[in-house]
Amino acid sequence: FDALGQVPRSYFRKEVKQAIEIICAFLKERCFLHEAHQVRVSKVVKGGSSGKGTTLRGRSDADLVVFLSHLRSFQDQFSRRKEFIEEIRRQLEACQREKADKFAVKFEVQNPRWSNPRTLSFVLSSPSLHGDVEFDVLPAFDALGQVPRSYYSDSQIAEGYRPDSQIYITLIRECENLGKEGEFSSCFTELQRDFLKRRPTKVKSLIRLVKHWYQKCKEKLGKPLPPQYALELLTVYAWESGNNDTCFKTAQGFQTVLKLVQNYKQLCIYWTKYYGFENPVIAQYLRKQLGKPRPVILDPADPTGNLGSGDLQSWSRLAREAEVWLSYPCFKNGDGSPVGSWDIK
């Protein structure tokens, strides 16, 4: 288990960090300087596994959410993100021509069905890096604004921070109007990142192990599968409900997660860390979300994002693979007895 879930080697982390610094500097200092109406980058937030501290060694990927001054609402983000994605791409290509010896980018071919893409995907390579780094850059509306410094502790958002309920009310109404729930999850990247990043080191190692298993399933089964983020949240839920201690048997935690996957038709999981039932508008919406067909796994930062929804066949395929894995020797003690799993609802 340690071999599968270990923290990436220090040089690998440094290289990913260096690649992220190259792109962040480009976005902040170069990207929109030549716009007629100057666009300001209010902040760039590192999301994905790199931001959450759950990167798998050898899988160098980074999500960067770019909050832009010209995106002043959720509707703005939906209607204008394509133009900003195209501008970022143009400027990246120009910067690459000027600094050919510094770095190179290779863009992924966008699906032609996506007339309004959410993200710009590309691969960065550089003579100073030993491997390529995959990037997803997402333009976003800064819904949260600048989180007050009083809520920060050791580079993390403090436990007491909660967004103003009006942010979520507006989000819910916009998503319902567009008929696109979960459309604006990138606006809440800081909260998603913090929700996982503050977990104990061993829990994050368990998350890496589950992600490693998920990647193995993906290689074997292909698509469709449930989103990886759903498995990360499922791991947190398993630990919180079944152990909630920094000292635990990794095999038991892993087995618990696989059993939850097996029982996907009974899953209804949510958190009230950043939103809850106090406001009547949000409460009504949450009850509607929680009443939907299982599995329900609500994004702890975005009540409109149900990571369990979608193709039930994808959950069924993953559940069958979980059943196969549960018969493996890694779930037995040295004397052949089962390692067991945590007792959770």
Side-chain angles (χ1 to χ4, degrees):
F1 282 118
D2 288 343
L4 298 181
Q6 63 184 307
V7 176
R9 291 175 182 169
S10 59
Y11 78 85
F12 174 73
R13 291 199 306 270
K14 287 178 182 176
E15 289 203 337
V16 174
K17 182 180 178 182
Q18 182 184 351
I20 289 172
E21 287 173 352
I22 290 172
I23 298 301
C24 282
F26 160 78
L27 291 167
K28 291 177 180 177
E29 299 167 12
R30 159 70 187 258
C31 193
F32 299 104
L33 289 182
H34 305 295
E35 289 286 298
H37 304 286
Q38 192 169 353
V39 177
R40 185 174 61 85
V41 177
S42 59
K43 57 188 174 185
V44 178
V45 176
K46 181 172 63 171
S49 57
S50 298
K52 297 167 187 169
T54 58
T55 303
L56 292 175
R57 187 175 63 190
R59 296 190 64 87
S60 46
D61 63 296
D63 292 350
L64 293 179
V65 181
V66 189
F67 293 96
L68 302 172
S69 60
H70 273 43
L71 298 180
R72 298 187 176 93
S73 67
F74 294 115
Q75 179 61 49
D76 265 2
Q77 176 175 325
F78 181 74
S79 60
R80 300 192 63 191
R81 66 190 178 200
K82 182 179 179 180
E83 68 179 87
F84 288 113
I85 284 175
E86 290 175 347
E87 179 60 22
I88 293 171
R89 177 169 183 155
R90 281 194 297 270
Q91 293 296 332
L92 260 178
E93 289 172 336
C95 196
Q96 179 181 217
R97 287 192 296 270
E98 295 170 14
K99 302 180 179 181
D101 60 327
K102 298 294 184 183
F103 68 86
V105 292
K106 180 173 63 178
F107 296 97
E108 291 185 11
V109 177
Q110 298 286 346
N111 190 321
R113 292 178 298 172
W114 298 342
S115 59
N116 188 19
R118 296 184 186 185
T119 179
L120 175 66
S121 299
F122 60 92
V123 177
L124 174 78
S125 58
S126 170
S128 60
L129 302 175
H130 288 92
D132 297 341
V133 179
E134 299 174 7
F135 277 92
D136 285 332
V137 174
L138 302 86
F141 158 54
D142 191 2
L144 296 175
Q146 297 295 328
V147 177
R149 298 307 303 176
S150 59
Y151 283 110
Y152 272 96
S153 175
D154 296 327
S155 301
Q156 292 182 335
I157 300 174
E159 283 289 344
Y161 175 73
R162 234 182 182 204
D164 191 302
S165 59
Q166 189 57 48
I167 294 172
Y168 285 121
I169 293 171
T170 304
L171 170 71
I172 288 166
R173 287 172 177 164
E174 289 285 347
C175 287
E176 289 182 327
N177 289 338
L178 288 169
K180 292 183 177 292
E181 292 178 309
E183 181 73 24
F184 305 106
S185 63
S186 58
C187 298
F188 302 93
T189 297
E190 286 170 285
L191 303 184
Q192 294 168 340
R193 179 187 66 181
D194 205 66
F195 185 79
L196 291 178
K197 191 173 183 179
R198 66 170 58 253
R199 302 296 164 178
T201 300
K202 190 159 186 181
V203 176
K204 286 190 282 191
S205 292
L206 178 59
I207 291 172
R208 289 189 194 96
L209 176 57
V210 171
K211 287 170 63 175
H212 178 86
W213 171 75
Y214 176 86
Q215 293 299 329
K216 289 292 184 184
C217 293
K218 195 173 179 181
E219 291 169 9
K220 177 181 177 181
L221 303 174
K223 296 180 179 180
L225 286 179
Q228 182 174 271
Y229 185 32
L231 274 294
E232 295 178 17
L233 294 178
L234 209 54
T235 306
V236 171
Y237 172 75
W239 174 73
E240 285 183 341
S241 303
N243 185 276
N244 208 28
D245 195 349
T246 55
C247 182
F248 60 83
K249 288 185 178 180
T250 301
Q252 288 185 343
F254 188 26
Q255 180 164 321
T256 303
V257 175
L258 295 191
K259 286 193 170 185
L260 285 173
V261 171
Q262 275 191 301
N263 291 283
Y264 68 93
K265 291 182 181 178
Q266 298 174 310
L267 294 179
C268 183
I269 297 169
Y270 67 99
W271 289 265
T272 56
K273 179 177 175 62
Y274 299 121
Y275 55 79
F277 294 87
E278 299 85 359
N279 181 278
V281 175
I282 300 173
Q284 182 182 11
Y285 182 78
L286 284 177
R287 292 188 186 99
K288 185 180 79 170
Q289 286 284 71
L290 298 175
K292 288 181 176 178
R294 307 317 189 218
V296 172
I297 305 174
L298 292 191
D299 186 331
D302 174 8
T304 71
N306 177 11
L307 283 303
S309 67
D311 184 5
L312 275 184
Q313 188 64 25
S314 66
W315 281 99
S316 175
R317 296 168 79 229
L318 198 63
R320 288 195 296 270
E321 194 64 14
E323 185 176 3
V324 172
W325 273 67
L326 285 169
S327 65
Y328 285 4
C330 56
F331 294 112
K332 290 184 172 59
N333 293 312
D335 59 3
S337 61
V339 296
S341 58
W342 297 330
D343 182 22
I344 60 175
K345 293 182 182 179

